[in-house]
Amino acid sequence: MANSKYEYVKSFEVQDEVMFPNLIVARIGGRDFRRFSEVHEFVKPNDEVALNLMNSCAVSVLEEFPDIVFAYGYSDEYSFALKKTTRFYQRRASKIHSLIVSFFTSAYVTKWKEFFPHKELIYPPSFCARIISCASIGVLQAYLLWRQNDCHINNQHSTCIHELVKHGKTEREAQEFLKGTRKREKHDLLFEQFGINYEKLPVIVRQGSAILKTKVEDVVKYDNNGAPVKRLRRKAGIIHSKNIAGKNFWNEHVDLVKELGSFVDAIGKVEPDYIRSFQFEAQLLPSTWIVIRIDGCHFHRFSEVHEFVKPNDEQALKLMNSCAMAVLKEFQDIVFAYGVSDEYSFIVKKDSQFYQRRASDMVTVVVSFFTSIYVVHWKEFFPQKELKYLPSFDGRAVCYPSSEILRDYLAWRQVDCHINNQYNTCFWELVKSGKSKSEAQNYLKGTQAAEKNELLKQFGITDYNALPLMFRQGSSVFWDKIGRTHEESSQNIGGYYAHRLLRVSYANYHFVQWKFESFQVPSLLGQIGIPMPAIPMLVFIWKICGNFSILCQEGVSGFWVYNTLFSVIRKAYCIQENVVRIRGLDSIVPTGRSSLSKL
Ligand code: GTP
Ligand code: MG
């Protein structure tokens, strides 16, 4: 398919391949699980059902991704180690951790009812993830020792806190009481004061859970005589071990040694420099727009299995939109989102300190939250369809240094939407008319937009532009109004301050931008006093561009905005310079007022 002139924005994507011979570990952790566990009344200090749910999700991850050969987890975290020779997604860090966290989240939400049949999921959980690259098997060994030590320390500490609180101390007093105590003292405290023999607590809470794959014989089918046909299959199983970083545990598992390497030495403590490297996370450039783009994993298959309408399934797209709306509501620093097909781009404001701009946290938490909502909302959009398998998304973050390039990014995605939709509409019409898929493909090879429009006319689609906007131009999500919260919407721009409301528009983008020496948007709009419906989209705009910009819905031409709005503004303000930029679907008018006449 044709490339658009905006393709250059792809060059801003950075390489994040984890090079050989580093071993790849992806660690996920619950986002604000303290609150999640309180709201869902998890048993304190350890809810074994919640731990079993985590384990079950981790088993699903190992079964889904053959390259993951080992996992270790406790509390709300899990680490997944990929085999040393993996080429999974070209070893790209953002792909790997976003997919794993997305799949894990999908599993968590889906399995919730199985583990907590009497508890509603009050709000959708989400997880963060990061990649830890281990330069050698020895470093992986240190990593596992670090995590299992942490499991032990945390569990002993929370057990003590829980007992102290149960016996009358406040949480704060309990924390004070334990300050500076060592493992031995906590052990004695539990035993002497509360009659708890720590060693007798369930292994799952003391040691965490390890998962590895073993070969098992499985019946795959029955032959004509009814005899079972068996095959060796690798199955993920949970085990508990006191020392997963020990030579004894590790080296006795042939598959682990083969896929990751053997442990050569026994280690007692972890080098502080190693811990620093395990904790390191790269930050995205300051003062740049961050776009987090997520994309459905293998949605070609997902849409087939779930019988999405071709080429566009309105319900599926609306489900995507509802997830994007939830993302904007959840993360205030995301100011705009644009979605098409199985992808969504989220724009994080330039000065955002969201997760201190740590790329992996930002991407994975958005992907995970989106996935969570997708699973939770599925029934609302497809009441008659079961989710046949777990959906997942991958994600990446890209920095754009200027609003011009950011707009080109959006234009790139929207042009792509247009090109794909026109192609797909033709393709499925050809298939409907009796051509095979490969015949339809060959037929369309090298055709231009005009030829495709002609072709559509033959199928009765006389006006391509009459197809729903959402199909042709994608969807945008943004805060409709910004200011003080108020319940009611208002009919005039003075009421612009009135409320925050989120809405989806399927509008074409054109950005109309003026530069002023200085001005305040709210006071400016207050003076104009144009009825709100006349300008249906005064949104995030100036935030995005720094200057005063308006995102116009389709049908609202830049020329119209110019005439009605600008003439009023002109009277009220001293305008140094005006630059008008219109970003349309495929017609770009770079700058200058004269070009407005073309609109
Ligand atoms: P990866 O993203 O690389 O994992 O592959 P993918 O299979 O998800 O393909 P890609 O993201 O390039 O394209 C999305 C695919 O999702 C489309 O090719 C369609 O097959 C499918 N899809 C998305 N939206 C719809 C829809 O509304 N209806 C139908 N029928 N299919 C859709
Ligand atoms: Mg996809």
Side-chain angles (χ1 to χ4, degrees):
M1 265 182 241
N3 286 342
S4 77
K5 59 181 159 192
Y6 306 113
E7 299 267 328
Y8 81 91
V9 297
K10 277 204 283 194
S11 63
F12 287 81
E13 297 184 11
V14 289
Q15 281 278 336
D16 63 349
E17 181 182 333
V18 182
M19 299 288 176
F20 283 116
N22 287 289
L23 298 168
I24 302 172
V25 175
R27 181 167 86 240
I28 66 158
R31 168 173 165 255
D32 198 3
F33 254 49
R34 192 188 167 96
R35 176 171 159 242
F36 185 81
S37 58
E38 271 166 20
V39 169
H40 292 89
E41 296 173 343
F42 283 1
V43 175
K44 283 180 181 173
N46 286 292
D47 189 316
E48 283 192 51
V49 181
L51 293 175
N52 286 330
L53 169 57
M54 289 289 292
N55 286 352
S56 171
C57 297
V59 166
S60 298
V61 168
L62 262 79
E63 287 182 342
E64 176 73 9
F65 304 108
D67 281 17
I68 300 177
V69 289
F70 180 75
Y72 172 73
Y74 70 93
S75 182
D76 66 343
E77 76 160 64
Y78 242 103
S79 300
F80 300 94
L82 282 78
K83 64 180 185 186
K84 61 185 170 195
T85 55
T86 186
R87 293 196 177 269
F88 187 51
Y89 278 104
Q90 295 84 48
R91 302 175 65 95
R92 277 146 67 196
S94 62
K95 280 265 184 189
I96 296 171
H97 66 2
S98 57
L99 257 184
I100 292 174
V101 80
S102 176
F103 187 85
F104 191 95
T105 312
S106 225
Y108 198 94
V109 177
T110 308
K111 289 168 186 264
W112 177 268
K113 264 271 161 278
E114 183 188 325
F115 285 81
F116 293 107
H118 306 299
K119 273 186 197 175
E120 279 305 314
L121 192 55
I122 294 168
Y123 69 88
S126 47
F127 298 82
C128 294
R130 63 173 61 180
I131 292 290
I132 294 105
S133 59
C134 299
S136 66
I137 183 71
V139 179
L140 175 65
Q141 185 183 13
Y143 174 80
L144 294 175
L145 180 63
W146 177 53
R147 289 333 293 148
Q148 199 170 31
N149 275 345
D150 227 52
C151 165
H152 175 63
I153 292 166
N154 284 342
N155 184 57
Q156 206 190 31
H157 183 82
S158 55
T159 310
C160 289
I161 294 275
H162 180 68
E163 288 302 323
L164 288 166
V165 169
K166 218 164 79 180
H167 290 82
K169 287 207 189 316
T170 64
E171 181 142 352
R172 213 196 158 116
E173 286 166 348
Q175 296 282 12
E176 274 303 309
F177 186 85
L178 289 179
K179 216 173 237 172
T181 52
R182 291 161 183 272
K183 277 190 206 167
R184 186 75 245 164
E185 292 161 278
K186 291 198 186 85
H187 195 277
D188 293 347
L189 171 78
L190 286 174
F191 190 69
E192 282 155 21
Q193 283 208 24
F194 307 120
I196 294 173
N197 182 348
Y198 187 76
E199 301 306 325
K200 291 269 178 331
L201 292 181
V203 282
I204 189 172
V205 304
R206 282 186 294 117
Q207 299 173 350
S209 304
I211 307 177
L212 39 85
K213 289 171 175 166
T214 44
K215 290 199 179 80
V216 288
E217 258 196 353
D218 236 9
V219 178
V220 285
K221 60 178 179 187
Y222 292 87
D223 66 15
N224 294 342
N225 303 322
V229 178
K230 292 183 183 169
R231 218 161 270 157
L232 272 182
R233 198 171 72 86
R234 296 182 82 202
K235 198 168 185 299
I238 299 167
I239 53 173
H240 301 284
S241 166
K242 197 174 165 59
N243 187 5
I244 55 164
K247 276 169 67 178
N248 289 351
F249 166 80
W250 193 265
N251 293 349
E252 78 181 20
H253 293 103
V254 188
D255 283 345
L256 286 185
V257 172
K258 190 170 138 229
E259 306 284 23
L260 285 159
S262 59
F263 288 174
V264 181
D265 300 312
I267 51 168
K269 77 181 221 333
V270 189
E271 293 288 332
D273 278 347
Y274 282 12
I275 295 179
R276 275 189 54 222
S277 90
F278 300 148
Q279 289 173 325
F280 173 78
E281 258 200 273
Q283 285 170 303
L284 293 168
L285 281 178
S287 298
T288 50
W289 297 107
I290 300 167
V291 175
I292 297 172
R293 182 166 80 251
I294 69 164
D295 187 287
C297 176
H298 303 322
F299 258 49
H300 187 69
R301 177 170 162 244
F302 187 82
S303 59
E304 295 276 353
V305 171
H306 293 91
E307 296 171 344
F308 283 4
V309 178
K310 292 174 167 104
N312 290 293
D313 188 304
E314 194 178 340
Q315 285 307 101
L317 295 173
K318 284 184 172 168
L319 170 57
M320 291 289 290
N321 290 346
S322 80
C323 299
M325 292 224 279
V327 169
L328 258 79
K329 283 183 190 158
E330 182 78 5
F331 306 109
Q332 302 288 313
D333 279 7
I334 297 178
V335 290
F336 186 79
Y338 175 70
V340 18
S341 179
D342 67 339
E343 73 165 57
Y344 242 104
S345 299
F346 296 97
I347 298 173
V348 183
K349 64 183 181 188
K350 226 171 169 175
D351 56 355
S352 172
Q353 283 307 311
F354 185 41
Y355 280 102
Q356 283 82 53
R357 299 176 81 89
R358 290 190 305 266
S360 47
D361 281 336
M362 291 174 76
V363 171
T364 55
V365 85
V366 170
V367 168
S368 172
F369 188 77
F370 191 98
T371 313
S372 211
I373 301 279
Y374 195 92
V375 178
V376 170
H377 285 189
W378 175 268
K379 265 272 161 270
E380 201 180 302
F381 290 86
F382 293 107
Q384 316 296 345
K385 283 183 191 173
E386 284 303 317
L387 251 182
K388 296 206 173 118
Y389 66 90
L390 302 175
S392 53
F393 297 82
D394 67 51
R396 73 191 75 195
V398 188
C399 292
Y400 294 104
S402 72
S403 22
E404 282 73 21
I405 302 172
L406 176 67
R407 280 178 306 200
D408 282 353
Y409 170 83
L410 288 170
W412 173 50
R413 295 323 305 137
Q414 199 173 33
V415 169
D416 219 47
C417 166
H418 168 68
I419 295 171
N420 286 335
N421 187 60
Q422 206 187 30
Y423 180 92
N424 290 337
T425 312
C426 291
F427 180 85
W428 288 110
E429 286 299 332
L430 287 166
V431 171
K432 262 200 282 183
S433 75
K435 287 206 185 324
S436 72
K437 286 184 185 171
S438 63
E439 281 167 351
Q441 216 168 359
N442 284 334
Y443 192 95
L444 290 171
K445 214 173 249 170
T447 51
Q448 300 296 310
E451 294 162 76
K452 291 199 189 78
N453 274 336
E454 277 311 308
L455 177 71
L456 288 174
K457 280 185 189 145
Q458 290 173 25
F459 292 117
I461 302 174
T462 48
D463 182 8
Y464 174 79
N465 289 333
L467 293 179
L469 269 173
M470 180 164 66
F471 300 170
R472 287 185 291 121
Q473 297 172 0
S475 304
S476 323
V477 181
F478 43 82
W479 287 101
D480 202 9
K481 311 206 177 133
I482 298 173
R484 290 176 226 130
T485 46
H486 227 273
E487 288 302 311
E488 310 254 329
S489 71
S490 172
Q491 286 302 301
N492 61 51
I493 289 179
Y496 169 81
Y497 311 100
H499 71 165
R500 289 181 86 122
L501 170 84
L502 199 65
R503 80 165 177 217
V504 179
S505 117
Y506 312 126
N508 188 2
Y509 293 104
H510 12 261
F511 283 85
V512 183
Q513 178 179 346
W514 291 277
K515 283 191 177 172
F516 291 88
E517 196 175 33
S518 69
F519 78 102
Q520 292 278 318
V521 173
S523 63
L524 174 74
L525 298 174
Q527 287 200 23
I528 298 164
I530 295 174
M532 197 58 196
I535 307 175
M537 50 8 354
L538 297 171
V539 209
F540 73 105
I541 335 299
W542 68 90
K543 276 189 154 187
I544 279 230
C545 305
N547 306 308
F548 178 31
S549 308
I550 289 181
L551 177 71
C552 300
Q553 284 188 340
E554 185 163 72
V556 183
S557 75
F559 190 53
W560 180 89
V561 176
Y562 183 87
N563 271 342
T564 51
L565 189 62
F566 207 61
S567 59
V568 188
I569 296 167
R570 211 182 247 286
K571 282 183 203 142
Y573 288 86
C574 166
I575 299 158
Q576 285 289 308
E577 178 193 7
N578 77 66
V579 179
V580 181
R581 280 184 165 253
I582 314 291
R583 281 287 180 272
L585 188 59
D586 47 13
S587 63
I588 301 305
V589 186
T591 55
R593 230 181 312 154
S594 60
S595 46
L596 268 177
S597 58
K598 294 184 190 147
L599 296 172

